[in-house]
Amino acid sequence: MEEDDTRSQYNTTTSKYASAKAIQTRKTQEKDTVEESNRRNEHEFNASHLLLILFFLWIFCLHSIGIYFFTKGFLLTRLVLDHKSECESPPIDVPPDKSGSSFEGCWHPKTFDKAVVIIIDALRYDFTVPFNGDTHLYHNALNVLHETATQRPQNAFLLPFIADPPTATLQRLKGLTTGTLPTFIDAGSNFAGTAIEEDNLVAQLRDSGKTLVHLGDDTWHSLFPGYFDANLSHAYDSFNVWDLHTVDNGVTEHLLPLLSPSKTSQWDVIFGHYLGVDHAGHRYGPDHPAMAAKLSQMDGVLREIIASIDDTTLLVVMGDHGMDTKGDHGGESDDEIEAALWMYTKRDIFGRSLSKFIKPPMTAKERPVAQIDLVPTLSLLLGLPIPFNNLGAPIEEAFIGHNPANWKNLAFVNALTGGQINRYQQEYALARGLDESVTSGPRNLWTLALQIWTETTTAKSMNSEQLKAASAAFSNYQKETLRICRSLWARFDIPSMLCGIGILLLSVIILVLYARSIKEDRAEHTPNVLQKISLFSVFGLVIGGTTALVVPDISFINTSVLGLAAGGMAGFSITFIKPYRGLSIPFPNSTWSWFALVFTISQAIGFASNSYTIWEDEILLFFLSTFAFLAFVSSMRQSIISERILGTYQSSIFIVLTRLVSLSRLCREEQMPFCRSTYYASTTSSTSAPWQLLIPFALAIALPSVIKSFYNGTRSYEGSAAFWIGFAVRLALLGSAIFWTLDAADDGDWFTLNKGTLKSLKTIIAQLVLGVAFAAGSTTFVWAKPCINIRITPTSNDPANERTASNPNSVTILGYANTHGSHYFLLVSNWILATTLIQKPMGGGATGILAWQILALLEIIDSNGLSQSAIGPIVLALLGSFHFFKTGHQATLSSIQWESAFIPMKTIQYPWSPLLVILNTYGAQILTTVAVPLVVLWKRPPKKKGLLRDVGKAMATHILYYATINLATAMWAGWLRRHLMLYRIFSPRFMSGAAVLLVVDLVGIFVAIAGMRWNVLSVAEVFGWE
């Protein structure tokens, strides 16, 4: 009996062991199967993710190539002749009484042995004339120029000095030394000046044996390397717009000792370039006490220079350009091009042709002279040949003399200048192969002028009327030649422009097909597409390169790049030639899709109008308000009450925020007087009003709470979200608020703290905020677990309930419904912090509202079931474009906030300084591009399939908007290339559209799509890859 019991127990034990081992084996196999499946799914995801990045990189390359070809044909260039004017070869026969050796002057007797040329950067003409009545702070601060020109007209004259756009310092220095006109192709080189190779005033001075000294702006050393005496010259960094005094004090410190009698033998010509006025304008605007103080300082310095020079020295003071009402420049508004020119000598040399011209003009509209006129004027006064490429005319006041007027000398210098221009015209026509119709007009005027001059000089006696006629004839020739040259240099390379437009158009079509035509998983279709693209790109590259080698006079690089682009597009097209079951016609299939199309196309068409382009911000306001109204109506029609309430509430919030942020505006000149700027303290300021300093503090209090409320909607304010949003984001926003408060204190001298100490403190705070945003923020996003909280609650063990008996614990996952979206928004919050810091207080407030609008848009999209619609990515693009204007920007060069490069740094540092300017300028577009994946990820559970496919679709749609706008602005700029407003409105808008497209491409690839990988990895680490 006992033996049977023992055997029974043994069998039972063996059976239980076998059963347990089987269960264990099965669990192990299941575990191995799950792990293998996870590894396989992870590998597939990584491969698909990489292919998606490669596809968008190819799109970026297409955009870059298309923009390059259009820009190459659109931005004007001119042929630079390498001819040099020589002293021994005057352009006309020099009368015996005018000839002399190089020591006495060639072509024309020299009037001065030495010259001191002072450039006061951004010296606007109205800064120099007295003003009565309702004055600004910049009035009556720099009096010495008008004072001397009025009291001693034989010793000084003051005239408006009109610059040719673009009004950037580097382009102006080229015109001031060569006498030629700038072209837009030069504008891109304003921060990387290359040496001037063509004949110029500085080269003529050096070749004549003069000792040249340069003090101030280091741009001169980029343009004229090795020209200046190394022991006496001192160059200073020109781009630190926060520093008003270092450059100016350094110039004065080294300049005044050189003017003492014991030092004058060490130099012949001094170029002193002061930057304080320009920097005061950029930092504060013209109507600010700092500008008045800087102008007063310049007044005192000039009085010291006047007292120090001797009788043989010519003193020239000029501005290279002006500044607009905010203190910026770069465009062609009147305030930007109207600079001042003043010449002074202690000898009685200068004169006027009429007695009414004795006093300087009270406005820049009276008796202006072109800046290129300085080149022949200085050349002849110093006894130098006129540079070969010069197109300027001698300034009358410098040569006509007084008591009595020397009309013979004036006629002679006009004849010399006209002769040199005639030489240049002939050589240029020969080099360009210009036909008779182009050159006949100026040549006839030259023949007439030369005939009058010959008759006058060979007459037994010359009277003033004959000399006046000869002088006027040469002047007419010079003006007509200048007009012809302007038209010649406005010739566009139409084939290159059409090539660029063609590539941009095909890239738009490719994005349409990829975003809205592929019905199945793009991850399955992308490998085949990329394979064809790669194969045909290489084939096109080979064909293009071979063609360039076989056909003469064809650029190898241009042809190869064109072949590369054409081959890639051909490869993409081939995948769509055969009927593909996963493709559909990309035609709008819903009301929302139609509105997305209308918003994009109507805006693209509108850029054909200059008034539409000028008021683009108001058009975008209308579009966004329309969307919010439609979203409200759509939400009211939802069947589920909770979604109806949420949709209508968020739609109302969206439209209120849109109207609120529209109060922040920076008006462009063409909008006046129908627009009032509110972005700065006033329309003539570049600083914030005291009340605006409260905005960053309000943002630090409110924005984290707003974000928290959206997280609480899905119980996602868990894990890292609570610490990051509740503490880190708030702390960083508070740091930004403190930074801008200290900046205002620095501007207004609120504290007695040393300026250097205050700047160091600001820099440290800014670096800490950026460190929180990018270092700590990126670390949190990459390594933190999803924003969820798993709660395990014991349940009553009811034997009757089989479920509770086998599983006695209840598991609740807080935040499960928004696992992907809540984690990805951590990445968006990092860029919110960085963008808020880089913007002025008003711009920071606009950025905070943008963040709120993004979250409201996500709720609208979810409650209306629009995650697959094009409307989400398009509205994000509209938001980015709208907030571009609300953060103090316009599609003009002068609205670029260069001072943002110095927020976390004391000096220019590459590549960080340009990147900061880009973040400041396109911060809104960058932020909305980073947020694009949220259209797909918001309120999506962890097991949702096809997320990467849908993110690629959304990103392609988002980029499609900017690509369409860029294509439209390029087409209209090309079509309207002869429009009066081309370089004021259409060309800057094209350049802005091209720049933002490339920025959005790169941010979409390396931030948004790359961030998608880390987001999925974080979620999959907890929930697996199924």
Side-chain angles (χ1 to χ4, degrees):
M1 191 71 174
E2 291 181 2
E3 183 178 348
D4 291 340
D5 290 340
T6 301
R7 184 178 295 106
S8 175
Q9 291 177 1
Y10 174 78
N11 292 335
T12 301
T13 303
T14 303
S15 176
K16 288 182 177 180
Y17 175 77
S19 176
K21 186 174 181 180
I23 293 173
Q24 182 65 33
T25 301
R26 186 170 62 253
K27 287 183 177 180
T28 301
Q29 291 175 346
E30 290 175 354
K31 183 179 179 181
D32 291 341
T33 303
V34 170
E35 290 179 353
E36 181 181 349
S37 176
N38 279 337
R39 284 194 299 269
R40 183 175 61 255
N41 290 336
E42 182 179 4
H43 176 75
E44 291 176 357
F45 172 81
N46 289 334
S48 299
H49 183 265
L50 178 60
L51 292 174
L52 189 64
I53 287 180
L54 291 176
F55 174 78
F56 280 105
L57 277 174
W58 177 65
I59 293 294
F60 167 75
C61 292
L62 285 185
H63 289 157
S64 301
I65 294 171
I67 291 170
Y68 165 73
F69 275 99
F70 181 84
T71 303
K72 186 173 72 71
F74 179 70
L75 295 186
L76 307 180
T77 59
R78 62 182 175 87
L79 175 65
V80 176
L81 303 180
D82 57 2
H83 298 68
K84 305 289 183 182
S85 294
E86 296 179 357
C87 188
E88 297 78 13
S89 179
I92 63 171
D93 293 334
V94 179
D97 61 323
K98 297 293 186 181
S99 61
S101 66
S102 60
F103 296 99
E104 299 170 349
C106 57
W107 296 14
H108 183 272
K110 67 178 179 181
T111 309
F112 300 98
D113 296 326
K114 298 177 179 294
V116 177
V117 181
I118 301 297
I119 299 94
I120 300 179
D121 210 290
L123 181 64
R124 207 167 71 190
Y125 184 73
D126 60 340
F127 292 175
T128 66
V129 293
F131 192 87
N132 298 319
D134 187 13
T135 61
H136 293 281
L137 291 172
Y138 53 79
H139 283 137
N140 305 323
L142 180 55
N143 299 314
V144 63
L145 307 183
H146 189 274
E147 178 185 302
T148 52
T150 302
Q151 296 175 0
R152 291 175 283 170
Q154 71 279 11
N155 301 115
F157 64 84
L158 173 64
L159 292 172
F161 200 39
I162 307 303
D164 290 293
T167 48
T169 294
L170 184 140
Q171 284 70 45
R172 293 294 76 245
L173 292 183
K174 288 183 177 180
L176 287 168
T177 55
T178 63
T180 57
L181 301 174
T183 54
F184 249 87
I185 202 67
D186 291 333
S189 61
N190 193 43
F191 299 98
T194 54
I196 297 177
E197 301 294 342
E198 63 185 304
D199 198 9
N200 62 82
L201 178 63
V202 182
Q204 288 288 349
L205 286 167
R206 183 193 61 174
D207 293 344
S208 65
K210 304 292 186 183
T211 300
L212 308 181
V213 177
H214 166 261
L215 305 169
D217 186 345
D218 60 356
T219 304
W220 288 80
H221 288 264
S222 298
L223 298 177
F224 308 104
Y227 282 52
F228 304 107
D229 187 287
N231 296 321
L232 300 178
S233 298
H234 299 274
Y236 297 87
D237 181 17
S238 58
F239 291 115
N240 190 351
V241 297
W242 292 84
D243 188 348
L244 274 59
H245 306 294
T246 299
V247 177
D248 289 4
N249 293 342
V251 173
T252 303
E253 176 187 350
H254 295 99
L255 173 62
L256 293 178
L258 290 174
L259 301 181
S260 63
S262 61
K263 296 290 185 66
T264 55
S265 61
Q266 299 180 15
W267 57 271
D268 294 298
V269 178
I270 299 176
F271 295 93
H273 196 144
Y274 287 88
L275 293 172
V277 171
D278 180 69
H279 288 185
H282 282 300
R283 184 173 179 183
Y284 303 107
D287 198 18
H288 190 275
M291 179 63 77
K294 180 54 64 175
L295 291 172
S296 297
Q297 179 191 3
M298 291 295 98
D299 186 85
V301 169
L302 293 177
R303 291 180 188 276
E304 289 189 66
I305 297 174
I306 291 170
S308 301
I309 63 172
D310 57 27
D311 293 348
T312 64
T313 301
L314 170 68
L315 176 59
V316 182
V317 176
M318 60 182 165
D320 56 342
H321 50 75
M323 62 175 68
D324 63 14
T325 56
K326 306 184 312 301
D328 298 317
H329 57 88
E332 56 177 320
S333 66
D334 288 347
D335 284 342
E336 292 172 90
I337 66 173
E338 293 172 350
L341 172 68
W342 177 81
M343 288 191 180
Y344 173 84
T345 172
K346 290 190 173 179
R347 288 185 286 155
D348 297 343
I349 289 177
F350 300 141
R352 312 291 188 276
S353 59
L354 297 173
S355 58
K356 65 179 181 180
F357 293 161
I358 294 294
K359 289 188 176 181
M362 291 306 297
T363 70
K365 303 297 185 292
E366 307 170 48
R367 294 158 47 208
V369 297
Q371 289 196 350
I372 59 175
D373 294 347
L374 179 72
V375 174
T377 302
L378 280 184
S379 297
L380 297 175
L381 288 175
L382 296 174
L384 300 170
I386 300 173
F388 190 85
N389 297 326
N390 167 71
L391 293 172
I395 297 172
E396 177 182 289
E397 285 79 355
F399 298 99
I400 197 169
H402 73 291
N403 294 331
N406 190 347
W407 287 102
K408 181 179 181 181
N409 188 49
L410 181 61
F412 177 57
V413 296
N414 274 309
L416 283 171
T417 306
Q420 180 53 50
I421 292 175
N422 182 58
R423 275 183 174 175
Y424 172 74
Q425 184 190 36
Q426 291 178 350
E427 293 295 335
Y428 192 88
L430 183 63
R432 279 291 195 193
L434 302 179
D435 56 39
E436 183 77 11
S437 62
V438 176
T439 59
S440 59
R443 190 174 63 252
N444 292 337
L445 288 176
W446 169 251
T447 302
L448 176 62
L450 197 59
Q451 179 183 346
I452 296 174
W453 173 249
T454 303
E455 293 174 354
T456 301
T457 55
T458 56
K460 292 183 178 180
S461 62
M462 291 182 287
N463 59 54
S464 61
E465 293 304 319
Q466 291 175 313
L467 293 168
K468 286 181 183 179
S471 180
F474 285 118
S475 179
N476 290 336
Y477 166 71
Q478 179 267 336
K479 292 176 182 177
E480 177 63 12
T481 303
L482 182 60
R483 186 191 68 80
I484 293 295
C485 287
R486 287 184 189 275
S487 64
L488 287 176
W489 296 338
R491 290 190 171 183
F492 301 87
D493 182 359
I494 303 299
S496 181
M497 292 168 59
L498 290 176
C499 183
I501 289 175
I503 294 173
L504 292 174
L505 175 61
L506 290 174
S507 72
V508 167
I509 295 173
I510 289 170
L511 283 171
V512 170
L513 293 174
Y514 187 82
R516 314 311 305 178
S517 183
I518 300 177
K519 295 185 298 184
E520 297 182 350
D521 194 342
R522 283 162 187 77
E524 297 178 2
H525 196 55
T526 302
N528 183 40
V529 172
L530 286 177
Q531 184 182 23
K532 294 290 193 303
I533 289 173
S534 301
L535 179 63
F536 279 81
S537 294
V538 173
F539 182 73
L541 180 64
V542 172
I543 293 296
T546 304
T547 303
L549 293 175
V550 173
V551 180
D553 301 326
I554 294 182
S555 170
F556 177 81
I557 295 179
N558 290 340
T559 309
S560 300
V561 170
L562 182 60
L564 179 71
M569 291 184 292
F572 181 89
S573 302
I574 285 178
T575 61
F576 288 86
I577 290 177
K578 297 180 180 180
Y580 181 66
R581 60 184 177 84
L583 298 179
S584 63
I585 299 176
F587 199 76
N589 54 9
S590 68
T591 302
W592 284 114
S593 297
W594 274 110
F595 275 109
L597 179 65
V598 169
F599 287 155
T600 304
I601 298 301
S602 61
Q603 191 175 6
I605 296 173
F607 286 119
S609 165
N610 57 336
S611 58
Y612 184 100
T613 307
I614 291 169
W615 293 99
E616 183 182 353
D617 54 338
E618 296 298 319
I619 305 299
L620 290 168
L621 173 62
F622 171 75
F623 284 164
L624 290 171
S625 300
T626 301
F627 164 76
F629 173 76
L630 294 172
F632 183 89
V633 174
S634 176
S635 299
M636 289 290 293
R637 300 176 61 187
Q638 298 302 311
S639 58
I640 301 177
I641 296 178
S642 60
E643 291 183 350
R644 185 189 313 160
I645 294 174
L646 182 62
T648 54
Y649 172 73
Q650 296 299 343
S651 299
S652 302
I653 290 294
F654 189 92
I655 195 168
V656 169
L657 293 176
T658 302
R659 304 302 301 188
L660 176 62
V661 78
S662 69
L663 299 177
S664 172
R665 65 176 67 92
L666 179 71
C667 304
R668 57 187 295 162
E669 182 188 17
E670 296 83 2
Q671 292 177 324
M672 309 303 288
F674 307 105
C675 178
R676 187 175 70 87
S677 295
T678 59
Y679 190 77
Y680 296 109
S682 68
T683 56
T684 58
S685 174
S686 291
T687 59
S688 301
W691 69 267
Q692 292 175 331
L693 298 178
L694 298 175
I695 295 176
F697 287 99
L699 193 65
I701 295 171
L703 185 58
S705 299
V706 169
I707 298 174
K708 177 182 177 181
S709 69
F710 282 88
Y711 271 64
N712 283 335
T714 54
R715 306 292 294 273
S716 298
Y717 198 67
E718 303 288 343
S720 57
F723 171 80
W724 181 250
I725 296 171
F727 177 75
V729 170
R730 195 184 301 276
L731 183 65
L733 290 173
L734 182 62
S736 297
I738 295 172
F739 171 87
W740 287 111
T741 302
L742 293 177
D743 181 74
D746 187 16
D747 291 344
D749 295 324
W750 297 352
F751 304 142
T752 58
L753 196 63
N754 179 271
K755 288 279 187 180
T757 304
L758 192 58
K759 174 60 179 174
S760 298
L761 183 59
K762 290 194 302 179
T763 302
I764 292 172
I765 293 175
Q767 290 175 350
L768 287 174
V769 172
L770 291 178
V772 170
F774 290 128
S778 298
T779 302
T780 300
F781 172 71
V782 170
W783 296 106
K785 297 292 190 295
C787 302
I788 59 174
N789 186 11
I790 301 176
R791 293 181 180 178
I792 301 176
T793 306
T795 57
S796 58
N797 191 2
D798 185 2
N801 190 328
E802 182 179 342
R803 182 165 176 249
T804 59
S806 60
N807 189 12
N809 295 324
S810 173
V811 179
T812 304
I813 304 178
L814 302 180
Y816 181 87
N818 194 21
T819 306
H820 283 285
S822 60
H823 184 267
Y824 185 87
F825 191 82
L826 298 180
L827 176 63
V828 179
S829 68
N830 301 340
W831 288 89
I832 293 174
L833 295 180
T835 307
T836 302
L837 171 70
I838 301 302
Q839 304 293 343
K840 295 289 181 73
M842 200 74 168
T847 303
I849 292 177
L850 174 58
W852 193 347
Q853 286 182 290
I854 290 173
L855 288 167
L857 174 64
L858 297 177
E859 294 290 356
I860 293 171
I861 290 172
D862 178 70
S863 60
N864 287 272
L866 300 175
S867 63
Q868 297 298 314
S869 172
I871 194 66
I874 296 298
V875 171
L876 278 175
L878 292 174
L879 276 173
S881 300
F882 180 62
H883 281 266
F884 167 79
F885 298 100
K886 301 302 110 181
T887 52
H889 301 95
Q890 287 282 350
T892 59
L893 294 175
S894 59
S895 70
I896 300 176
Q897 299 170 23
W898 301 110
E899 63 273 20
S900 58
F902 301 95
I903 288 177
M905 294 177 290
K906 296 181 179 180
T907 59
I908 291 285
Q909 295 183 22
Y910 294 96
W912 310 117
S913 296
L915 290 176
L916 289 168
V917 174
I918 292 172
L919 180 59
N920 171 274
T921 306
Y922 301 117
Q925 290 99 326
I926 290 172
L927 189 56
T928 50
T929 302
V930 176
V932 167
L934 284 172
V935 172
V936 175
L937 301 178
W938 192 254
K939 289 190 175 180
R940 294 296 176 270
K943 297 293 186 177
K944 176 69 177 178
K945 294 183 178 296
L947 291 179
L948 185 62
R949 171 198 63 198
D950 294 340
V951 167
K953 176 181 178 180
M955 185 58 67
T957 306
H958 186 74
I959 293 176
L960 176 61
Y961 168 86
Y962 290 106
T964 305
I965 297 302
N966 179 59
L967 171 64
T969 54
M971 290 174 61
W972 295 128
W975 181 258
L976 300 170
R977 61 189 179 277
R978 301 297 179 186
H979 195 283
L980 180 64
M981 292 293 179
L982 176 65
Y983 293 118
R984 179 172 288 196
I985 296 176
F986 296 109
S987 180
R989 186 59 186 88
F990 155 68
M991 290 189 288
S992 177
V996 74
L997 174 61
L998 297 181
V999 169
V1000 166
D1001 279 342
L1002 292 175
V1003 171
I1005 295 168
F1006 294 108
V1007 180
I1009 296 179
M1012 178 67 183
R1013 178 179 185 273
W1014 296 107
N1015 193 79
V1016 172
L1017 286 175
S1018 174
V1019 174
E1021 188 176 346
V1022 176
F1023 294 98
W1025 286 93
E1026 290 293 335

